Amino acid sequence: MNYNPQKIEKKWQRRWEEKNIYSRPFRRKEKKNFYHLVMFPYSSGDLHIGHWYNFAPADVYARFKRMKGFNVISPMGFDAFGLPAENAAIKHRIHPKTWTYKNINRMRKQLKTMGAIYDWSREVITSDPSYYKWTQWMFLQLYKNGLAYRANVPCNFCPSCKTVLANEQVIDNKCERCGTEVEQKKIEQWLFKITDYTDDLLNGLKKLDWPEKTKTMQKNWIGKSEGWTIKFQILNSKFQLEVFTTRIDTLFGCTYLVVAPEHPIFKKLKSKISNIGPIEDYLEKSKKKTDRERISEIGQKTGVQIKGLMALNPVNQEKIPIFVADYVLIHYGKGAIMAVPAHDQRDFDFAKKHNLSIIEVIHPKSIVKSSVKKAPLLVSSELEHSAYDGEGFLINSDRFNGMRSLDARKRIGEWLERQNKAKKDVYYRLRDWLISRQRYWGCPIPMIYCQKCGWVPVPEKELPVVLPRIKNFKPTKEGRSPLANSKTFVNTTCPKCKGPAKRETDTMDTFVCSSWYYLRYIDPRNDKQFASKKKIDDWLPVNMYIGGAEHTVLHLLYSRFFTKALNDLKYINFKEPFLGLYHQGTILGLDGQKMSKSKGNVVSPDLFVQKYGADAVRMYLCFIGPYDRGGPWNPSGILGICRFLDKVYTLVETVKTKSQEETENSQDAKEINKLLNKTIQKVGDDIENFQFNTAISCLMILVNELSKNVRNKYSDIQTLLLLLAPFAPHLTEELWQKMGFSNLKDFKSANSIHNQLWPKYNPKLFKQSKIQLIVQINGKVRDRIEVKSSISKQDAEKLVLSRDIANKWIKNREVKKIIFIPKKLINIVY
RNA sequence: GCCGCGGUGGCGGAACUGGUUUACGCGUACGACUCAAAAUCGUAUAGGAGAAAUCCUGUGUGGGUUCGAGUCCCACCCGCGGCACCA
């Protein structure tokens, strides 16, 4: 290399920091604030190339916005509490706190080599008491407003991590972190009432400038189902069995009911059940099954008929049997379903297995006039093999025959509603957010239990409840938090009655900590409020948020919930935290696998930074492909970027030593000027759209052209450096100063290239006077002619037909048609 | 099974609203410079036929629409991501 990247990078990083060039508001007058945010890293130890892929191109975007005149803040911090820290600490036999802060120091150092515009004075670390004081404060606000509550709920328990997990943290019935099979346990836990916001969370999505895919995934995760709850009378009893369905239009095809094994009907009507022995066997068996076993038995559709009980179908008074089967889940809907085997695959499988009748009530085509009362039970031969769950027209449905299924949903529902046998209902897949963790390394839950007063919140002025440094932080066998062993922590006085009381020993899920960190960055050292109202109004919501797609349903949903709750409590005046969102792709190992320590395919950026410099690594990451795609890390192309940067350096050096001769009017100068203007436009548009790879390729074209030209103007070089500045901040700063563009002896914030504005372009210059007209004969390219761009169809025709090439192909055949696309092509069809 | 995304040279990838397929970069080959090497610069680089001009075939597969399809429509194959007994 012609220059030493390490030397100049260190030099400029030091000077930028000395002069604080990024923490000062830039262009105060403009007053256009732009909050640019990248998802803060987990303090896992080492930064890998995937982190850089998140942060470096994002920094290009932030720098570009800054040069466009926005007052950009781009903060950085660490997500520091949580299970992995603790598991790793246990493995390495050091305290989680020591381990975490050691990692943070290392990661901060690594991050600084990138040369990003992070304002380190805003750094937040979620495990600092000055931060978690406000996490606890948030908990108290939620608690006081009924959004945090305690309940004895069945939860996912990881026997290896010895803690409960949120539904979102269970993947394939395994613990997200350690991969151990989770167990179902009923424990008293703290939950956040995220379900109060289901509709808000759903409706808010519409206005967001987010990837459609992410919105759809959140929508599916919330899983809103609108339908009807229907009451089925149990014969010879006062009991009515309620079921929830989205397909009330299929009710005439309901041939039996099924209840979940946990359904209360067994207690209530035990005396009427004639086969209670086999039923209790079944209930016992399904209780013992893990969720995993239940899932692995999908398709088997086991179940037993509850003999002695029959239900009445409210539409036709048919007597239908009732079954218990564990394919029906207690926690969704009413824990009981109406089975329509013809139009639901699960019911179909069950009916086939247990030999139950199948009646077709929805036919894809309109085949039955409403006057025809009786059709064969099965019209469609396909129903021999599988259920039809689409829309269609009703048959076998008495007076509703011939009606569209969509209409019938409304009509049958309302008809039963008038008889008080059905009511409209909505269910969601989303369940409340379980935040208790029986682990040490987390934010303590600020609650106290008093024998007399019950659960009492810690008074706000006593916050934070400091996490004590204890020696034995390993989880206990019985699944109690390690904090329970610390008597000094546990024993306290009740804030209400001043009697003896005990602290909550569970800690919060780390996702609670990260659900509001973007608010703290704005005012990180404030110890009176989580952030001042004025600063919140100035900066929030976040304009652009960049991070991995793996956070689609966890972090992004929780953050939206926090924002909505804080908005309701009047602490903030916006309802969505992140207006813009972009997911970068995932960088994989060379083996095409996700990078992970256990696979040994983790790549550190450090070696590449040492060898080629941060500018080259930043740019190479931008160049390898579309930002949202990612792919295997293959460093073989990085030399191309190095050569490019070298070329830029050489180019600037040669221009510097040459005197500025008059070149204004030469043809070369005009062409260069045209290219320059085009490049300004293209690079700007591309960065705005996160198309960094094509932005770089047109910068390369520009540099190639400038390098061919012997007499370059200073102003052209100036523009080039400005366009390149977001990508290669160090080299461009070095060359900017070398060229003396700022004309100041001492380096000051104002004369940094990073405090200049993005160059403007003149679109008028793009107009080409001459173009290459493509000549097609029968749709195949046969010729190219240089013509005036304004050439008319007639002239183009004449010109083309006079040429030998055209005549060679057309010969004497009759020309049938001529298509002329101005400034592009002419196609002659014979 | 359902939803979403993708499939273009040896490789990473370009291609606007249907209009020159393969920009830019890597790699490779040859040449220049050099005692030599590296670096650098120059030329070539989808496949096939040909001495050449040139021609034919090519964007996962098969069909269709069109003067013209990587791009639009239908069917299918493969890869990736998400959800998955949610009534």
Side-chain angles (χ1 to χ4, degrees):
Chain A
M1 272 188 150
N2 292 338
Y3 66 101
N4 182 340
Q6 287 72 32
K7 214 172 138 188
I8 69 164
E9 286 177 6
K10 274 202 188 107
K11 178 173 84 184
W12 287 111
Q13 280 164 21
R14 207 183 55 234
R15 290 198 189 176
W16 292 334
E17 206 170 331
E18 276 167 17
K19 304 286 176 187
N20 251 334
I21 74 163
Y22 303 125
S23 57
R24 294 231 181 99
F26 170 57
R27 307 269 161 194
R28 261 176 223 277
K29 277 183 215 160
E30 307 269 344
K31 283 200 177 165
K32 287 188 287 182
N33 286 348
F34 192 93
Y35 189 171
H36 175 265
L37 185 65
V38 290
M39 289 180 185
F40 65 169
Y42 187 75
S43 50
S44 54
D46 272 303
L47 227 48
H48 59 75
I49 201 79
H51 286 109
W52 269 60
Y53 194 60
N54 181 191
F55 303 149
D59 184 59
V60 172
Y61 184 82
R63 285 176 175 278
F64 169 72
K65 281 284 174 187
R66 186 181 161 89
M67 291 180 81
K68 289 292 268 187
F70 287 95
N71 197 3
V72 175
I73 57 165
S74 179
M76 179 51 76
F78 297 92
D79 187 16
F81 268 142
L83 271 174
E86 215 176 301
N87 290 342
I90 290 165
K91 204 172 144 196
H92 295 103
R93 296 167 151 260
I94 44 168
H95 196 275
K97 186 175 180 180
T98 318
W99 187 84
T100 299
Y101 281 80
K102 212 171 131 192
N103 286 345
I104 289 175
N105 286 333
R106 177 168 167 66
M107 290 170 82
R108 191 190 295 116
K109 216 171 171 182
Q110 284 179 296
L111 273 167
K112 285 189 175 178
T113 65
M114 199 170 72
I117 61 169
Y118 302 136
D119 177 356
W120 285 100
S121 70
R122 294 183 184 277
E123 182 191 71
V124 300
I125 299 172
T126 57
S127 59
D128 282 353
S130 64
Y131 180 89
Y132 68 68
K133 172 182 175 177
W134 298 105
T135 308
Q136 293 172 343
W137 180 87
M138 301 257 166
F139 179 96
L140 291 180
Q141 307 317 307
L142 295 179
Y143 176 76
K144 286 172 188 168
N145 290 282
L147 290 169
Y149 65 97
R150 201 172 159 84
N152 193 8
V153 287
C155 36
N156 310 298
F157 184 82
C158 170
S160 165
C161 297
K162 298 193 174 64
T163 182
V164 299
L165 301 166
N167 294 324
E168 288 82 355
Q169 289 162 332
V170 180
I171 290 154
D172 252 352
N173 209 51
K174 287 176 183 164
C175 170
E176 175 196 44
R177 288 296 170 184
C178 67
T180 311
E181 192 99 351
V182 302
E183 294 167 0
Q184 296 298 309
K185 268 196 177 178
K186 244 187 159 182
I187 317 174
E188 277 234 339
Q189 305 285 332
W190 290 102
L191 294 106
F192 284 163
K193 220 169 180 185
I194 192 169
T195 53
D196 262 17
Y197 287 91
T198 37
D199 278 323
D200 283 349
L201 288 167
L202 223 41
N203 295 331
L205 286 173
K206 289 174 198 155
K207 290 174 219 148
L208 294 177
D209 187 15
W210 282 22
E212 278 311 314
K213 189 188 161 194
T214 304
K215 290 199 208 181
T216 312
M217 275 170 69
Q218 283 215 358
K219 213 171 135 188
N220 292 342
W221 189 264
I222 296 166
K224 183 176 186 171
S225 289
E226 288 175 279
W228 295 80
T229 291
I230 306 170
K231 290 175 188 168
F232 284 78
Q233 188 64 50
I234 305 290
L235 278 177
N236 306 318
S237 107
K238 280 180 186 166
F239 193 80
Q240 290 183 322
L241 185 62
E242 289 189 325
V243 305
F244 173 69
T245 180
T246 53
R247 292 299 301 267
I248 198 169
D249 52 311
T250 63
L251 189 47
F252 282 88
C254 168
T255 49
Y256 59 96
L257 302 179
V258 191
V259 300
E262 299 86 352
H263 199 275
I265 194 173
F266 299 109
K267 276 183 190 161
K268 282 201 174 147
L269 299 179
K270 193 174 177 181
S271 58
K272 299 198 185 215
I273 300 171
S274 57
N275 61 337
I276 194 72
I279 290 286
E280 280 181 340
D281 277 357
Y282 186 81
L283 300 190
E284 201 52 41
K285 253 189 223 159
S286 52
K287 206 187 261 178
K288 277 186 190 152
K289 274 188 208 169
T290 62
D291 266 14
R292 177 129 203 114
E293 282 169 316
R294 266 186 150 179
I295 290 165
S296 70
E297 284 164 19
I298 286 180
Q300 290 199 18
K301 298 284 180 292
T302 62
V304 184
Q305 187 181 348
I306 308 172
K307 290 188 176 150
L309 297 184
M310 292 294 269
L312 272 186
N313 187 336
V315 287
N316 55 14
Q317 312 310 313
E318 296 272 349
K319 286 181 199 168
I320 53 174
I322 307 171
F323 286 78
V324 55
D326 60 10
Y327 80 89
V328 175
L329 309 170
I330 189 65
H331 60 247
Y332 189 81
K334 293 285 175 188
I337 59 151
M338 62 176 225
V340 184
H343 304 292
D344 181 289
Q345 192 56 42
R346 294 155 299 179
D347 299 343
F348 182 88
D349 295 342
F350 191 84
K352 280 275 173 194
K353 183 160 176 183
H354 299 269
N355 237 341
L356 300 158
S357 57
I358 299 172
I359 304 172
E360 182 176 13
V361 288
I362 307 287
H363 196 271
K365 285 178 200 147
S366 178
I367 49 158
V368 186
K369 294 267 161 56
S370 54
S371 57
V372 178
K373 289 277 189 261
K374 279 198 177 172
L377 293 187
L378 290 178
V379 179
S380 309
S381 56
E382 289 81 22
L383 284 175
E384 292 293 327
H385 316 289
S386 64
Y388 172 73
D389 59 7
E391 302 293 344
F393 298 85
L394 269 68
I395 57 170
N396 285 320
S397 296
D398 201 45
R399 62 201 183 88
F400 297 95
N401 283 345
M403 194 181 279
R404 282 175 185 278
S405 51
L406 272 167
D407 300 331
R409 288 231 253 291
K410 206 171 163 234
R411 299 284 290 277
I412 295 178
E414 284 168 356
W415 174 52
L416 287 180
E417 197 173 26
R418 283 193 292 275
Q419 304 168 57
N420 198 23
K421 285 179 184 164
K423 68 171 195 341
K424 267 199 170 161
D425 224 338
V426 184
Y427 279 92
Y428 300 88
R429 211 189 82 111
L430 185 72
R431 285 186 256 166
D432 277 339
W433 175 14
L434 200 160
I435 61 134
S436 298
R437 295 292 179 276
Q438 291 73 44
R439 295 294 294 235
Y440 167 69
W441 190 238
C443 174
I445 296 172
M447 294 298 290
I448 292 170
Y449 186 74
C450 168
Q451 288 281 351
K452 268 192 232 159
C453 313
W455 283 102
V456 182
V458 173
E460 285 181 22
K461 61 176 189 294
E462 285 174 27
L463 295 181
V465 174
V466 177
L467 181 71
R469 194 178 171 104
I470 58 172
K471 271 187 191 157
N472 189 4
F473 50 80
K474 289 184 191 171
T476 58
K477 271 181 204 158
E478 65 276 27
R480 269 168 69 223
S481 166
L483 282 177
N485 297 330
S486 169
K487 281 181 187 158
T488 47
F489 176 80
V490 174
N491 294 320
T492 184
T493 50
C494 170
K496 248 189 191 168
C497 70
K498 309 294 172 200
K502 288 187 187 304
R503 284 188 194 280
E504 168 63 275
T505 56
D506 286 355
T507 54
M508 292 186 220
D509 178 5
T510 104
F511 278 101
V512 178
C513 307
S514 58
S515 290
W516 72 279
Y517 76 110
Y518 47 92
L519 298 169
R520 189 62 177 170
Y521 274 144
I522 296 310
D523 199 2
R525 310 288 167 252
N526 191 335
D527 58 359
K528 302 279 185 297
Q529 298 157 288
F530 67 86
S532 86
K533 188 111 184 157
K534 165 99 179 53
K535 288 184 179 174
I536 291 172
D537 289 346
D538 280 355
W539 288 104
L540 282 150
V542 171
N543 297 87
M544 182 51 75
Y545 195 26
I546 301 176
E550 68 273 20
H551 292 110
T552 298
V553 284
L554 292 151
H555 166 61
L556 287 171
L557 195 66
Y558 294 152
S559 296
R560 294 183 61 222
F561 159 66
F562 257 71
T563 303
K564 286 176 191 306
L566 288 172
N567 175 68
D568 272 0
L569 304 179
K570 307 268 189 268
Y571 288 108
I572 56 180
N573 64 0
F574 53 93
K575 293 183 172 180
E576 288 290 341
F578 316 120
L579 298 180
L581 176 69
Y582 193 92
H583 296 304
Q584 85 279 10
T586 316
I587 293 290
L588 308 170
L590 248 180
D591 51 0
Q593 300 279 315
K594 242 185 175 172
M595 282 193 193
S596 79
K597 279 184 188 164
S598 57
K599 283 186 202 119
N601 58 356
V602 178
V603 177
S604 161
D606 295 0
L607 281 177
F608 297 102
V609 175
Q610 269 169 39
K611 203 166 171 190
Y612 306 108
D615 283 343
V617 178
R618 288 170 61 106
M619 252 185 120
Y620 183 55
L621 286 169
C622 288
F623 187 61
I624 47 176
Y627 191 33
D628 57 3
R629 205 180 291 180
W633 166 253
N634 182 353
S636 67
I638 198 167
L639 274 178
I641 296 291
C642 294
R643 282 179 197 143
F644 168 75
L645 292 173
D646 242 358
K647 232 175 184 173
V648 172
Y649 187 88
T650 313
L651 175 67
V652 176
E653 286 282 281
T654 43
V655 173
K656 216 179 88 188
T657 53
K658 289 237 166 93
S659 64
Q660 285 288 287
E661 284 164 37
E662 194 49 55
T663 52
E664 277 309 312
N665 298 318
S666 73
Q667 191 56 36
D668 277 359
K670 272 188 187 164
E671 286 302 314
I672 290 283
N673 200 27
K674 203 181 278 178
L675 179 65
L676 211 59
N677 273 272
K678 255 190 174 163
T679 310
I680 295 170
Q681 184 198 32
K682 174 99 171 111
V683 173
D685 290 355
D686 281 356
I687 296 177
E688 193 69 72
N689 296 314
F690 294 94
Q691 287 161 340
F692 305 111
N693 55 335
T694 48
I696 292 174
S697 98
C698 69
L699 279 169
M700 285 171 166
I701 294 170
L702 177 67
V703 169
N704 288 344
E705 283 307 309
L706 289 175
S707 299
K708 278 183 209 158
N709 202 333
V710 236
R711 290 174 296 183
N712 286 300
K713 291 192 291 176
Y714 273 30
S715 63
D716 295 351
I717 297 301
Q718 202 162 18
T719 306
L720 167 67
L721 290 179
L722 288 170
L723 296 182
L724 190 57
F727 295 97
H730 309 89
L731 177 65
T732 50
E733 182 79 290
E734 173 78 6
L735 295 174
W736 186 261
Q737 304 304 329
K738 267 197 168 181
M739 291 293 285
F741 287 144
S742 291
N743 211 15
L744 282 169
K745 277 181 193 163
D746 302 318
F747 177 69
K748 283 183 188 163
S749 180
N751 69 354
S752 164
I753 190 173
H754 304 301
N755 278 335
Q756 312 305 316
L757 284 174
W758 191 253
K760 293 204 161 64
Y761 62 90
N762 180 0
K764 279 181 196 158
L765 286 172
F766 301 170
K767 278 185 189 159
Q768 301 270 1
S769 54
K770 284 193 168 179
I771 52 128
Q772 208 182 43
L773 187 75
I774 303 306
V775 180
Q776 292 187 340
I777 314 271
N778 273 5
K780 292 201 171 179
V781 180
R782 297 297 182 194
D783 201 3
R784 300 176 173 90
I785 342 173
E786 180 120 318
V787 293
K788 277 188 189 164
S789 64
S790 57
I791 194 167
S792 70
K793 188 181 175 184
Q794 286 78 11
D795 290 349
E797 261 180 62
K798 255 190 226 161
L799 185 65
V800 169
L801 292 174
S802 71
R803 288 169 70 93
D804 290 348
I805 297 181
N807 290 319
K808 179 184 145 197
W809 287 98
I810 301 167
K811 288 184 182 151
N812 293 321
R813 279 173 286 226
E814 185 196 351
V815 173
K816 282 184 190 154
K817 204 173 180 182
I818 294 179
I819 291 115
F820 177 71
I821 310 288
K823 293 178 193 178
K824 277 237 165 78
L825 65 74
I826 183 161
N827 187 9
I828 296 168
V829 185
Y830 62 79

